[in-house]
Amino acid sequence: MNKVVPAYALKDLVIYFLKLGTWGFGGPVALAGYMYRDLVERKSWISEEDYKEGLALAQLAPGPLAAQLGIYIGYIHYKIPGATLAGLAFVLPSFLMVLALGYVYTLWEGVPWMQAVFYGVGAAVIGIIAMSAFKLTRKSVGADKWRIGIYVLSAAFTVVYETESVWLFLVAGAMYWWVKQAPGRWRGVAPSLILAPVLQALGGVSASGGTLWKLALYFTKAGAFVFGSGLAIVPFLYGGVVKDYAWLNEQQFMDAVAVAMITPGPVVITVGFIGFLVSGFPGACVAAFFPCYLFTVLPAPYFRKYGKHPGIKAFVEGVTAAAIGAISGAVIVLGKRSLTDGWTVALALITILALWRFKKLPEPLVILVAAAIGISLKALLQ
């Protein structure tokens, strides 16, 4: 097989992803669309087949879709150096913005106008997550009775216990794999049996290793079960960051989600803001990039050979249904904290109606309008 000579230099790809990370608003689906339009249709740097394989890996592998698609595109022609530089370039602009916002937030969190901003923004974020959950449910759960059952069970678990269990996700994936892949006939070892010892080892690490070590382990575990959209990490983070480790309080957590909404690039940059609040600049670095990079680069060489295996697809479909159920449940859990009065409930409903009516309404614009409304409401109420 002849080696394909790329029509672009690595520096050209890095510059492209720096630009996309700076101006790329709209969430994971929009960012993936920009990559197809620019790199496949306009520049012809990447073949349509390579793009589709990268998109499939981003959907199948755990981690945020847009960030991992960008990492895979860097890997296609320039392997590990390309994946590393493309991923860093894509994440860097929004990461720097998050650092700046995190610094401002730590200085002014107690200032009334900052609290007024997040009073409105928190309500709008609930509306945005609710619409995302609806779209993901309609697209990925569909009418399949097994996926619907997994979805409902996961959503109920999230609402009742206000956290997520990785074991529920593993069981969901293994069960759907079993149902769809000829019951009574083994085709290799169930993925849950392979992952279980690894997760058990990660979960059993002593807390004495320091905050940075705990951050790295926690965000790696969280990244292992985030499929498709960066918003899928929200329910995972709430259970660990707020309830288990108490690194942030509930208001700080919702503010972190809001920060991700008003910055360009991958939504998963939420974790960078959280890392900064917990442990400064080192915490932000540990949380923001390592997990999604790891779960793209490691499977990339094997994906062409095994990625289309029906058993793997079935397992991921089961996990995805459970993840979407968790997002839907998280809307209720987070809504109970952020929708504190009639004004915030109304703002969340208006956000949902606006996103429903205007399909291409930019989410950052929604957040900015909500911030202005929050300031106005606080001024009126006082």
Side-chain angles (χ1 to χ4, degrees):
M1 183 176 180
N2 295 328
K3 183 178 179 181
V4 177
V5 178
Y8 61 95
L10 178 56
K11 69 174 184 179
D12 298 325
L13 192 66
V14 170
I15 292 171
Y16 169 78
F17 276 111
L18 280 172
K19 292 179 179 178
L20 184 64
T22 303
W23 307 111
F25 290 98
V29 175
L31 290 169
Y34 298 151
M35 292 182 215
Y36 180 83
R37 179 195 66 189
D38 298 336
L39 301 180
V40 178
E41 293 184 333
R42 293 183 178 177
K43 298 179 182 292
S44 298
W45 287 356
I46 306 297
S47 71
E48 185 159 352
E49 181 181 0
D50 283 335
Y51 175 87
K52 288 180 177 179
E53 287 182 350
L55 187 61
L57 174 60
Q59 290 172 326
L60 285 172
L65 185 147
Q68 291 192 296
L69 177 57
I71 291 170
Y72 185 84
I73 286 174
Y75 182 87
I76 290 172
H77 290 130
Y78 290 99
K79 305 306 177 187
I80 298 297
T84 304
L85 292 176
L88 286 172
F90 189 27
V91 172
L92 185 62
S94 54
F95 178 70
L96 293 176
M97 294 178 202
V98 161
L99 288 181
L101 288 170
Y103 179 71
V104 171
Y105 184 84
T106 56
L107 289 179
W108 292 344
E109 181 183 357
V111 176
W113 72 263
M114 179 67 81
Q115 295 173 344
V117 165
F118 284 107
Y119 172 76
V121 168
V125 166
I126 296 299
I128 292 171
I129 297 176
M131 278 302 297
S132 297
F134 173 75
K135 291 176 182 177
L136 287 169
T137 301
R138 188 171 61 177
K139 179 180 179 181
S140 299
V141 176
D144 184 285
K145 63 180 183 181
W146 289 100
R147 289 202 296 264
I148 291 173
I150 291 170
Y151 168 87
V152 171
L153 178 64
S154 178
F157 182 94
T158 303
V159 171
V160 172
Y161 294 100
E162 298 188 351
T163 189
E164 285 67 48
S165 169
V166 295
W167 297 108
L168 178 61
F169 286 77
L170 285 170
V171 170
M175 183 182 73
Y176 197 73
W177 167 82
W178 181 264
V179 168
K180 294 297 180 180
Q181 293 301 304
R185 187 155 58 103
W186 287 94
R187 297 187 180 185
V189 180
S192 59
L193 297 181
I194 298 173
L195 287 173
V198 177
L199 290 169
Q200 188 66 36
L202 287 174
V205 174
S206 172
S208 62
T211 302
L212 275 180
W213 180 239
K214 287 190 288 184
L215 276 172
L217 287 174
Y218 176 73
F219 284 113
T220 300
K221 286 199 293 181
F225 290 91
V226 178
F227 287 80
S229 168
L231 284 174
I233 204 170
V234 171
F236 279 101
L237 294 184
Y238 177 80
V241 171
V242 177
K243 293 179 69 72
D244 296 341
Y245 291 101
W247 285 326
L248 303 182
N249 61 40
E250 291 172 352
Q251 185 59 54
Q252 289 173 323
F253 178 78
M254 289 306 303
D255 294 347
V257 177
V259 164
M261 297 293 180
I262 63 175
T263 53
V267 174
V268 78
I269 205 65
T270 304
V271 301
F273 186 83
I274 292 172
F276 183 86
L277 295 186
V278 175
S279 197
F281 178 74
C285 294
V286 166
F289 183 70
F290 178 71
C292 65
Y293 174 79
L294 179 70
F295 290 116
T296 304
V297 170
L298 291 182
Y302 308 100
F303 184 67
R304 288 179 182 268
K305 187 173 182 180
Y306 299 110
K308 298 179 178 64
H309 191 282
I312 295 176
K313 287 187 176 181
F315 176 76
V316 171
E317 285 175 358
V319 174
T320 301
I324 296 170
I327 296 173
S328 300
V331 173
I332 298 173
V333 174
L334 298 174
K336 290 189 295 184
R337 271 76 179 178
S338 294
L339 308 183
T340 55
D341 53 31
W343 293 107
T344 49
V345 171
L347 185 53
L349 291 175
I350 291 170
T351 300
I352 292 172
L353 290 173
L355 292 172
W356 176 273
R357 175 65 180 83
F358 304 102
K359 306 297 183 183
K360 296 183 179 180
L361 185 64
E363 290 174 354
L365 177 61
V366 174
I367 295 297
L368 291 174
V369 171
I373 292 174
I375 293 174
S376 301
L377 284 174
K378 282 291 187 181
L380 286 173
L381 294 173
Q382 292 173 357

